[in-house]
Every structure is written in C-alpha cells, then in structure tokens.
Amino acid sequence: MALEAEAKAISAKFDYTDEDVNKGVREFLRQMNEGLEKDGASLSQIPTYVTAVPNGTEKGLYMAVDLGGTNFRVCSINLNGDSTFHLTYTKVAIPKELMVAKTAEELFAFLAQQIEVFLRTHHEEQFEKHLRRRMTISSPLGFVDEDVFRLGFTFSFPIQQLGINKGTLIRWTKGFDIPDAIGKDVCALLQKEIDKLHLPVKVAALVNDTVGTLMARSYTSPGKTGAVLGAIFGTGTNGAYIEKLSNIKKPMQGEYDQSTGDMVVNTEWGSFDNQLNVLPNTPWDVELDKQSINPGIQMYEKRVSGMFLGELLRLVVVELLKKPHVSFFKDESSDSNDWKSTTNIASDSTLYTQWGLDTAIMSVAAADNTPELVTLRQELESTLHVYAPSLEDAQAFKAIAGAIGRRAARLAAVAIAAIVLQTGSLTNPETADEPVDIGVDGSLVEYYPYFRDMIYEALRAIESVGEEGAKRIRIGIAKDGSGVGAALIALVAAGMEKAEPKEYFADYIGQLRRNAREHALGSLAEEGDDVAARD
Ligand code: BGC
C-alpha cells in the first residue's frame, strides 16, 4: 500500500492542469512575438527563407541527408508530381565519439563518406557517368546540370539561417557537443568534405527537420491552404510554421521571394521558457537539467522529448528505491510477490546509470493494460534487468511513467495551440470549412500510445480553441517528412540557382579550375594554380 500511495503522490507532482495549459499558451504566444521582434529571445523564431509550401505537383530526383539525433540518413527521393514520391534510403548510427568530436571536420567527413557509399550503392550509373565526365572538360551546362545531384541538408539543430543554403550553428542539442562547429556555416562544412571525395553533389538547401515535415505534409496532403505547422516529437522537439512576413520585425539578411507575403519560421521551441516563467519544475526536472550538458537551455525539450522522458523516470525510480519504508523492486519473501519469487535488480542493471532507462519502455508501460501487466514486467526484466518485478512494482512504474508522458503531451498541446492561434487559422472566415492541418513526426508521437489523444484532450481545454476548434485541428503523421521536405526545398533552391546566372557561372568556372588542377596534366595544372593564386 505504501508503494501505491507513494506512486500516486509522485504522479500528482507531474499534473499539468487545464489552468496551467491555458497559462502556458498565453506565455508561448508572448515569447513567440518576442522572438519575432529581436534576436536572443528564448524562442529563437528563425526565418528560414522558405516562402511557400508545395502543392503536390512538384517533380524530379533529389537527394536528402538528415542529421538530427541518433542516426544519419541518406536518401534519394523521386517526386512524382501527383502528391506521391518514391524514397530510397539508408540509415547509420552516428558513432558516439563523433557526437563529441574535437573538430567539426571529423563529423562532416563521416557524413560525406556515407553519401559516397549511398551513391555507389543506389546510383552507380550516375556516379560513374560523373567520374567519366570529370576526366574531360565538357559543356558547362551539361557538367553542372545533368549529373550533379541537388541535395537538401536536414540539419536539426538551431541554426542562424543566412540564406536557403547557408546557415551558422547557434548551439548543439540532443547530446551533441563539438564546440569547433559553433558559428560555422554547416552547408559549407558538408560541401567541403563532399568535394574532397569528388562526389557529384551540391548542397542546395539547408533545412530544419520541422520545416521539412511542414513541406512534406503539404506535398502529400494538399488542401486549399496547406499545412500550417510541422512539428517533431522525437529525440528532440520543435516546430516550424507559416508566419506573415509583416510580423517578422527583426532584420533579415539574405534574399527571399516576397511575393507570397509569408515565410516559414523555425521556432526552436525546445528552448521555450528557458527562464521558467510557466514551465513545471519538479525536483527531478531540476536534477535532470543540472546533470545535462546544457543546463538552463532547452528547458521545454527536457520536459517533452524522447531523449529526456526516460531519464526523468529513471531519476524518480532511483529516488523511490532509496526510500527505506517503500518496498519497490524488492520483496521480503517470495510470498509477497505474485510471481512467487523475489525481485532482484541485477548488478549490471543500467537503472543507476545516467540515460540508462530508454524512453521506449514508457510506451510499453502505457500500452500494457492487462490485469497482470505481463508485457511490462517482461520488459523490465529484459531491458533493465529487474528480475521478477511484482504486480505492485509494475503498477507503480506504469503510473509514474504515465504521469510523465501525460505531462509531456499536455505541454505539446501548449505549443501546438499557441501556433494555431498565432496563424489565425481558426478564425479566418475564408478557410472556415477547412481543417487546420498539422504534420508531425518523431518516435514519441508515432509510438507512445495515446500521445495524440492526450494532446487533443488538452486542446479542448484551451479557452480560445475549445471543442469546436480542437475538432478542426487535424494532426497527421508526416512519415519521413524531413527527407521529402528537404528534397522539396532543394527543388525550390535549384530553381533559384538558374535565376542567378552570375553565381552559377562562377560556380562552373570554379569547377573547371579544380578539374584542370587535378587532371589536366603537368603545365596546365600549374597554370590552374596560377589562376587560383591571382583570385
Ligand atoms: C533541435 C531542433 C530540432 C528538434 C527535433 C531540437 O533539439 O534544436 O532544431 O528541430 O530537436 O529534431
């Protein structure tokens, strides 16, 4: 009984009431507008230079790479022009040591190598053709246009975007920490490593995964208005939405098309309310933040995203294990355990190690509604090496995990509602019959049972949304959104290239010089160097 009462009391500390949700929305709107006015606000509100969403008719073959969390994905995407696409991809885990490498070059060289492997495996013919062409200096347009893949680079960290394929890293998140890369243009870093390998690839667009998700959602389910928000609830969390250009008060460098009157803004909402004006703050939130590599930053993300929820639960579990009067994961005798054994935490259990509890087990806990919680208990054994947990143990674990998950979903509703309200989509009479479409992706929203239901429950409780508003908000999965979205933005960027003949030509001359230097024998190579030296 003591355990049950203790679990209840802890769960109550993760309550996030309807009133809290409403207060959260008001503060989110305030911080959004602050971020549109000036740099350095909690919500970065980064203009992306993307000024329109697709309508489903876009066509062509593009490449996309995605660096954003635990994996690096390389894909090629054939956009069919009828709201459908064909995607080929490979995925590799990022070696842990590269996430904290000494130099940016180490990480980006690894990424370029993966692009080479992908091209050799999936686009051998195009790759060979390019290699042959490199040996001869042929027609400028043929060289530049035909064989060079335009690549959309999904880079899911906060970036100061300076143009469609240019942006400097503001800070790392999600466990990455390579100080050498801060302030550098990540497109240039990738292009440099691609060029070292002589790959036929031009980094044409720099895209946050949320922007990609927004684009992909608009391509695959075009409505009268397109999606208003692309959001990720995965390892990290963030959202990008369509803002009126006139609302973006802070200065923007770089050129962009002003004709639509809109621009996609990357909110970087992971850092919403770093100052903790309204975010809930239990003792375990405090501890998690203190032990993280970026204390005081990404405070919303630390309460909402997959990377952190498991760790939060682990901290609670460890505290509970320390309480002498609570019998959690321990039994007096086999008689007090319904499996007629005694519970044991194996010495190799990762329960006592930071990050040792994978958030995935919270999905198992939420999904197991059987009277004996057998699946959850087996999962506790196989992943955490807690042997023969009793039914009471599993119930307590499920209750606490559920409370942490529920708070995360209700916090997610705060961000979603604030953005829907900011765009005015619920009150615009011209689109009154249309759903307000939102594309989402990420492991939490995809695999955590009832995550979306809990979001809707909170949305209904928000004063300016209510039952009717919540009914109109359509939250749909945009699977592989970032890859497809990056391809779509690369397509837009390729169109912009042609409108800039000077830069295009300079690009070609540069290629010629490099070719000459490397391949065109003896004296010509020397002359190439001279030319370069005069630049
Ligand atoms: C990053 C965002 C990204 C989000 C989801 C956050 O940690 O700061 O740029 O969109 O994770 O991947």
Side-chain angles (χ1 to χ4, degrees):
M1 232 17 211
L3 176 58
E4 195 187 332
E6 199 71 46
K8 235 190 191 156
I10 291 175
S11 301
K13 297 212 166 117
F14 288 96
D15 275 353
Y16 192 64
T17 65
D18 288 353
E19 201 189 321
D20 295 332
V21 173
N22 276 286
K23 213 162 125 200
V25 172
R26 286 193 292 274
E27 180 65 7
F28 201 102
L29 278 163
R30 194 191 68 75
Q31 292 189 23
M32 274 181 91
N33 286 296
E34 190 177 56
L36 290 172
E37 267 159 35
K38 57 174 194 216
D39 285 329
S42 221
L43 276 179
S44 299
Q45 298 282 67
I46 301 164
T48 61
Y49 295 83
V50 177
T51 55
V53 295
N55 61 16
T57 60
E58 294 75 8
K59 270 190 184 166
L61 177 65
Y62 293 87
M63 273 191 86
V65 294
D66 186 342
L67 178 75
T70 30
N71 296 306
F72 179 61
R73 299 206 327 160
V74 187
C75 34
S76 57
I77 297 115
N78 214 336
L79 300 166
N80 298 328
D82 58 359
S83 286
T84 69
F85 59 87
H86 181 80
L87 179 134
T88 309
Y89 85 91
T90 54
K91 180 165 98 173
V92 283
I94 315 270
K96 284 261 181 297
E97 63 276 13
L98 285 185
M99 292 167 77
V100 290
K102 283 228 158 48
T103 62
E105 188 184 336
E106 289 168 62
L107 174 68
F108 285 85
F110 170 82
L111 305 186
Q113 282 155 19
Q114 304 314 312
I115 296 174
E116 175 164 20
V117 172
F118 179 86
L119 284 176
R120 286 188 187 278
T121 315
H122 297 287
H123 297 279
E124 179 74 17
E125 201 184 312
Q126 200 155 354
F127 191 58
E128 289 298 327
K129 203 159 118 205
H130 171 78
L131 287 184
R132 278 198 303 278
R133 266 182 184 269
R134 281 181 54 84
M135 305 307 287
T136 58
I137 300 172
S138 56
S139 105
L141 291 180
F143 181 84
V144 176
D145 249 0
E146 276 175 24
D147 304 329
V148 177
F149 273 106
R150 287 329 190 240
L151 175 140
F153 183 15
T154 303
F155 185 79
S156 304
F157 300 92
I159 283 286
Q160 190 61 51
Q161 194 120 12
L162 302 171
I164 202 137
N165 70 346
K166 204 175 167 129
T168 52
L169 178 63
I170 300 171
R171 62 177 178 274
W172 289 106
T173 59
K174 296 175 283 195
F176 279 74
D177 189 19
I178 310 169
D180 173 49
I182 307 281
K184 290 193 177 150
D185 174 9
V186 293
C187 278
L189 287 172
L190 182 61
Q191 189 71 58
K192 192 167 159 203
E193 299 307 318
I194 286 174
D195 292 347
K196 279 189 198 161
L197 298 178
H198 307 302
L199 306 180
V201 174
K202 175 170 177 189
V203 184
L206 176 61
V207 186
N208 186 269
D209 50 359
T210 55
V211 182
T213 301
L214 176 61
M215 293 288 129
R217 179 78 187 170
S218 291
Y219 177 78
T220 53
S221 60
K224 206 152 90 194
T225 49
V228 295
L229 165 67
I232 301 285
F233 297 102
T235 309
T237 183
N238 187 16
Y241 73 104
I242 302 175
E243 182 56 276
K244 287 181 198 61
L245 266 174
S246 56
N247 286 345
I248 309 177
K249 301 277 177 358
K250 59 186 174 190
M252 281 190 270
Q253 316 177 12
E255 290 185 4
Y256 53 91
D257 170 18
Q258 306 203 3
S259 63
T260 62
D262 292 329
M263 185 176 282
V264 175
V265 169
N266 168 13
T267 64
E268 282 300 332
W269 74 35
S271 267
F272 164 58
D273 200 24
N274 280 345
Q275 56 274 57
L276 300 181
N277 288 345
V278 292
L279 281 180
N281 202 25
T282 68
W284 305 286
D285 292 305
V286 174
E287 197 174 336
L288 180 144
D289 182 50
K290 210 157 61 184
Q291 290 172 13
S292 71
I293 55 173
N294 52 358
I297 293 170
Q298 301 292 104
M299 297 303 252
Y300 175 82
E301 181 165 86
K302 284 172 181 159
R303 286 148 179 81
V304 174
S305 82
M307 173 158 177
F308 300 99
L309 297 187
E311 178 62 7
L312 212 47
L313 175 58
R314 190 190 72 80
L315 292 170
V316 177
V317 166
V318 168
E319 185 172 315
L320 212 45
L321 288 173
K322 282 192 207 138
K323 296 198 169 172
H325 66 282
V326 179
S327 162
F328 186 44
F329 291 156
K330 52 182 174 265
D331 295 299
E332 292 285 301
S333 76
S334 60
D335 207 33
S336 58
N337 182 316
D338 65 318
W339 275 357
K340 298 295 167 224
S341 182
T342 52
T343 314
N344 263 295
I345 301 177
S347 56
D348 66 351
S349 169
T350 51
L351 258 184
Y352 291 103
T353 319
Q354 192 187 21
W355 310 119
L357 191 155
D358 191 327
T359 303
I361 198 172
M362 294 174 66
S363 297
V364 177
D368 189 351
N369 288 317
T370 59
E372 295 196 344
L373 300 180
V374 175
T375 314
L376 172 59
R377 290 160 80 179
Q378 282 165 349
E379 194 72 9
L380 285 165
E381 288 202 338
S382 61
T383 61
L384 290 174
H385 298 179
V386 175
Y387 294 110
S390 69
L391 178 59
E392 290 75 22
D393 290 336
Q395 282 167 337
F397 187 91
K398 180 177 161 75
I400 298 166
I404 295 173
R406 188 175 151 76
R407 189 185 72 168
R410 292 174 73 79
L411 281 165
V414 165
I416 292 174
I419 285 179
V420 168
L421 294 172
Q422 171 80 7
T423 60
S425 332
L426 283 178
T427 44
N428 181 352
E430 281 170 35
T431 53
D433 305 333
E434 290 275 306
V436 177
D437 201 47
I438 292 172
V440 290
D441 199 3
S443 47
L444 207 57
V445 70
E446 215 183 329
Y447 303 121
Y448 191 91
Y450 316 115
F451 197 75
R452 260 187 291 174
D453 303 75
M454 292 188 289
I455 291 179
Y456 274 110
E457 190 193 23
L459 286 176
R460 285 192 289 271
I462 295 168
E463 280 150 26
S464 346
V465 177
E467 288 276 345
E468 286 308 304
K471 254 191 231 152
R472 278 189 58 207
I473 298 176
R474 183 174 68 189
I475 303 176
I477 299 275
K479 187 118 182 87
D480 297 321
S482 55
V484 180
L488 284 159
I489 299 174
L491 176 148
V492 174
M496 281 164 65
E497 275 171 24
K498 293 194 184 103
E500 289 170 42
K502 267 198 204 136
E503 198 180 295
Y504 189 55
F505 190 62
D507 204 76
Y508 165 67
I509 295 283
Q511 284 279 11
L512 271 190
R513 284 180 179 156
R514 283 195 285 278
N515 262 20
R517 232 175 280 143
E518 289 160 30
H519 297 291
L521 321 165
S523 59
L524 184 52
E526 275 170 33
E527 200 175 295
D529 284 343
D530 287 349
V531 172
R534 282 199 300 271
D535 282 351

